[in-house]
Amino acid sequence: MSLFEDYDPLKGNMFQILKPDGTLRPGEKSPWNDQETFDLYQKMVFIRLADQRALMLQRQGRFGTYAPIWGQEACQVGSAYALQKGDWVFPAFREMGATLIMGISLKNFYLYWMGNEMGSRAPEGINVMPVSVPVGTQTLHAVGAAWAAKLKGDKVVTLVFFGDGATSKGDFHEAMNFAGVFKTPTVFFCQNNQFAISVPRSLQTASKTLAQKAIAYGFDGIQVDGNDLFAVYTAAKEAVEKARSGGGPTLIEGVTFRFGPHTTADDPTKYRREEEIEPWKPLDPMVRLRLYLKEKGLWREEVEGRLTEKSQQEIDQAVKDAEAVPMPEVEEIFKYVFAEMTPPLKEQMEYLKSTLT
Ligand SMILES: Cc1ncc(C[n+]2csc(CCOP(=O)(O)OP(=O)(O)O)c2C)c(N)n1
């Protein structure tokens, strides 16, 4: 029986394997052996520290802005890890975890937020599309790419990330409809982090779950504990395999929480009370994985210290390498919009240049 038949998104019975206390639900097991689980924990430590560093770099004026992933590591690592070589990730703007799991270097990732478009260029063989700031538009791109692959007979799956806020966009509904009709090999991953900037989930939709939106479009939807790496991976893996074997799309709603600001440009204390954050703290994806590993004898304070030190060294190097890349000329903002620059673009470019001299 398929996981998607066991969990009815209308009922809101969320799929979970690893409980917040680090123990497994009865009858459930880790999808990996101990070593692999530990390796993924190590990657998550690196990702969390790289995320924290990004925030600091912005505060120091070395990044333009940044959209932190703090709290959403399991959603991103678990789902991207379920892909195979040749599959594609279509990120929104908060997907450092998924991007690094796909093999993009931290240096490359940092470059984008430093304002260098070279950071949008994935190396050959790494299938990660550039950051998509216009909310939800990437869902259409992911469906188009999946459809193209299907027409060509390529066994490729596209995984697209978006937030709870994006589910109110027409793009999302058009993408879901098209995917359902043409049975495209697409996995829609909604990171329901409870907020779209200042708009809480309760004001986003009257639907009981976001996963249930799949029902209207004729395919599977499942609500997963987005802070549970094991559950996210297991659901994503099943969705990816289903897509690859011609079974069509799936909508996964990862229930999670954004601990940080929306981006470095906002102050969450203006719209979110401390009491709203408090209940999510014990549900942190890193905490439960650490408890699980501790019980297995694989985690101790010294281990954490070692992982942190090693990660910080790698992060230091990535910052150095990214800052050593020459910044592009300001003209490049305008140069590639059209084959030939239009008069308004030329005017804007001249104006910008005049403000810089
Ligand atoms: C088309 C469009 N409208 C508005 C914005 C401004 N904006 C940026 S992020 C955001 C909220 C997105 O919320 P959600 O989809 O839940 O993703 P999250 O930021 O929580 O990851 C908005 C309204 C935008 N970038 N694009």
Side-chain angles (χ1 to χ4, degrees):
M1 183 126 149
S2 140
L3 182 65
F4 307 129
E5 286 168 35
D6 287 350
Y7 287 84
D8 181 349
L10 278 173
K11 294 210 176 88
N13 53 345
M14 190 169 73
F15 174 50
Q16 185 188 62
I17 294 178
L18 186 60
K19 295 189 286 179
D21 66 2
T23 63
L24 298 170
R25 283 208 160 205
E28 300 287 0
K29 55 183 174 43
S30 163
W32 309 291
N33 64 30
D34 288 353
Q35 187 57 50
E36 205 172 349
T37 309
F38 181 80
D39 290 348
L40 280 168
Y41 174 73
Q42 187 170 347
K43 285 198 167 76
M44 281 168 72
V45 169
F46 179 80
I47 287 164
R48 179 160 286 193
L49 293 169
D51 186 58
Q52 286 171 1
R53 182 71 69 91
L55 211 56
M56 285 187 243
L57 290 163
Q58 194 280 335
R59 298 306 188 217
Q60 293 166 354
R62 292 153 84 182
F63 273 24
T65 183
Y66 181 64
I69 73 158
W70 182 18
Q72 300 181 213
E73 295 87 353
C75 275
Q76 300 189 16
V77 171
S79 55
Y81 199 68
L83 294 178
Q84 284 181 9
K85 204 172 164 41
D87 294 340
W88 283 83
V89 161
F90 288 71
F93 41 78
R94 198 188 296 290
E95 274 70 44
M96 180 176 66
T99 305
L100 297 194
I101 289 293
M102 291 298 286
I104 299 276
S105 69
L106 185 61
K107 169 197 160 190
N108 229 54
F109 179 80
Y110 277 175
L111 269 182
Y112 172 84
W113 295 99
M114 286 175 179
N116 193 327
E117 271 302 326
M118 289 308 287
S120 290
R121 195 168 177 178
E124 197 62 40
I126 299 183
N127 297 340
V128 179
M129 290 298 278
V131 163
S132 179
V133 171
V135 169
T137 49
Q138 72 282 8
T139 54
L140 291 161
H141 307 158
V143 170
W147 193 37
K150 186 174 172 170
L151 292 175
K152 282 161 71 187
D154 293 344
K155 294 276 176 212
V156 163
V157 176
T158 63
L159 168 63
V160 57
F161 291 98
F162 50 95
D164 36 302
T167 65
S168 298
K169 283 287 305 295
D171 309 60
F172 165 76
H173 293 279
E174 290 159 28
M176 292 277 287
N177 188 51
F178 199 100
V181 171
F182 292 97
K183 278 189 140 202
T184 67
T186 313
V187 179
F188 292 88
F189 199 104
C190 177
Q191 294 182 87
N192 172 8
N193 64 10
Q194 313 303 326
F195 282 90
I197 312 187
S198 56
V199 178
R201 159 67 182 85
S202 57
L203 294 181
Q204 198 59 250
T205 174
S207 302
K208 185 167 180 181
T209 70
L210 298 173
Q212 78 187 56
K213 290 178 189 285
I215 297 171
Y217 297 106
F219 56 88
D220 294 321
I222 186 168
Q223 196 179 49
V224 174
D225 182 343
N227 291 345
D228 170 359
L229 182 72
F230 296 173
V232 170
Y233 172 79
T234 304
K237 181 114 176 83
E238 191 159 325
V240 166
E241 277 169 9
K242 186 186 80 174
R244 202 182 310 285
S245 59
T250 306
L251 170 62
I252 299 174
E253 173 190 356
V255 179
T256 184
F257 191 76
R258 156 166 70 74
F259 284 119
H262 167 73
T263 67
T264 47
D266 78 323
D267 171 5
T269 62
K270 296 276 184 271
Y271 56 79
R272 207 167 63 173
R273 284 169 294 118
E274 189 56 35
E275 305 90 86
E276 290 178 75
I277 307 171
E278 222 38 58
W280 288 93
K281 287 187 182 162
L283 307 181
D284 186 314
M286 307 291 285
V287 171
R288 72 183 70 182
L289 203 52
R290 205 176 294 143
L291 290 169
Y292 173 83
L293 291 169
K294 190 175 178 188
E295 181 60 28
K296 299 230 157 220
L298 292 165
W299 185 92
R300 294 182 314 278
E301 286 291 342
E302 310 88 85
V303 174
E304 191 74 9
R306 198 160 34 80
L307 294 184
T308 302
E309 198 183 330
K310 187 168 165 276
S311 301
Q312 296 292 20
Q313 281 169 6
E314 278 180 49
I315 295 167
D316 287 346
Q317 192 58 49
V319 175
K320 247 189 224 153
D321 293 347
E323 289 188 329
V325 177
M327 282 301 274
E329 300 298 318
V330 290
E331 282 92 339
E332 292 195 18
I333 302 172
F334 305 93
K335 259 186 185 168
Y336 307 110
V337 182
F338 299 106
E340 271 180 47
M341 240 190 281
T342 59
L345 274 181
K346 270 190 198 148
E347 203 181 303
Q348 288 168 31
M349 184 178 83
E350 291 313 324
Y351 172 72
L352 178 63
K353 278 165 71 180
S354 73
T355 66
L356 298 173
T357 47

